[in-house]
Amino acid sequence: GWDRAAMTRSAQPAPHRILLGVGGTQHLHVSIDMAVMLASGFRTALLCVVVEQEDLVAVAGLPFARTFGRGGMSAPVTQENVEGYFRRVARTVEHELVERCTGVNVTWSLTRPQGDYIHELMASVETGDVVVVNRRDIQAGPADLPGVFRAILGKASAVVIANPGLARRGAVLALTSATVDGKALALAREIAQATGNNCETASPDGFFSRRFKASIVVAPLELAETGGLSSFLKSIDAMGAAAVLV
């Protein structure tokens, strides 16, 4: 269980709140699981931002916009389809949050802005938030991804990238080096205490050269970028772990 007393002894201030960004239904349960787990452990409120993505709404109704189903059957994409889709996403999220949060005493709220996923997420972030995202919702190529995370970390204290293959048990691994501050290690220790797992450390070189088993990997963004952020995230994916960037 969550060791709340141990967490309050930690020098690291507890996150302001957990902010979950949702842009679609892919791997939704995983992101919600992770957000609820963190909100419960840190005893903070959970805000879920379901972004009705403007680009999809804009495409709706254009003559060439079609959806393709089984057997190559196609249908036009209408404004109604797209709005209906986002209504379903919001309903699914609400249903899941009601179910998950009641048992663990987490208070939650939900907003449904329309616009660009990253822009709306950034508009909702407050200083000290821990932001949980699904990488599939971030429409950014490998070259732009570090910039996106850096922008979020300008306000947030951490970005959590949930993983569909999430290992529930397993060490919390902190990537540390002599040149970066101990923020990743402090947060990794807190998460480990909260989830009842061990906390381990690795250097960036060690991380890329050895096979680690972990459920969550906490890393300063600059260390995650040393061998390229894409290859870092691929290693984490292969592990079935969630990534926490600080």
Side-chain angles (χ1 to χ4, degrees):
W2 299 88
D3 184 350
R4 294 198 164 109
M7 289 187 71
T8 49
R9 285 197 300 272
S10 164
Q12 181 86 351
H16 171 59
R17 62 177 181 183
I18 306 300
L19 178 68
L20 169 62
V22 173
T25 52
Q26 269 201 312
H27 308 305
L28 194 54
H29 307 303
V30 182
S31 306
I32 292 173
D33 262 355
M34 177 54 84
V36 172
M37 182 178 85
L38 292 170
S40 167
F42 287 118
R43 301 179 84 172
T44 53
L46 168 61
L47 169 65
C48 181
V49 181
V50 178
V51 183
E52 303 195 359
Q53 294 181 67
E54 216 168 40
D55 51 355
L56 287 181
V57 178
V59 163
L62 292 175
F64 57 78
R66 302 187 76 77
T67 56
F68 291 87
R70 286 188 186 145
M73 298 282 283
S74 82
V77 176
T78 64
Q79 194 90 16
E80 222 170 300
N81 293 151
V82 174
E83 284 167 4
Y85 169 72
F86 284 116
R87 268 199 305 276
R88 282 196 302 281
V89 172
R91 267 205 307 273
T92 305
V93 172
E94 277 184 85
H95 177 75
E96 295 258 332
L97 288 174
V98 167
E99 211 166 83
R100 311 281 175 94
C101 293
T102 313
V104 289
N105 211 13
V106 168
T107 53
W108 61 273
S109 53
L110 185 139
T111 63
R112 288 174 57 185
Q114 192 180 90
D116 170 69
Y117 177 77
I118 294 298
H119 184 269
E120 294 306 326
L121 195 60
M122 287 296 302
S124 304
V125 178
E126 290 176 5
T127 308
D129 283 350
V130 168
V131 180
V132 179
V133 294
N134 179 336
R135 204 155 86 242
R136 283 149 196 85
D137 288 336
I138 300 171
Q139 306 295 317
D144 304 322
L145 212 49
V148 169
F149 290 141
R150 206 170 286 115
I152 296 172
L153 287 170
K155 284 208 272 186
S157 59
V159 179
V160 182
I161 304 143
N163 189 320
L166 184 62
R168 296 209 164 257
R169 305 296 301 166
V172 177
L173 182 67
L175 252 62
T176 58
S177 82
T179 55
V180 299
D181 68 19
K183 201 171 154 191
L185 183 56
L187 184 58
R189 282 184 177 139
E190 283 210 338
I191 294 171
Q193 283 175 336
T195 53
N197 289 317
N198 294 331
C199 181
E200 295 172 6
T201 61
S203 68
D205 291 347
F207 176 77
F208 285 110
S209 59
R210 284 176 48 205
R211 286 188 72 81
F212 283 94
K213 275 201 167 80
S215 58
I216 296 170
V217 178
V218 186
L221 183 58
E222 60 193 279
L223 289 190
E225 284 184 271
T226 47
L229 188 60
S230 288
S231 63
F232 169 75
L233 292 172
K234 274 196 188 102
S235 306
I236 300 246
D237 276 351
M239 222 184 265
V244 179
L245 298 172
V246 295

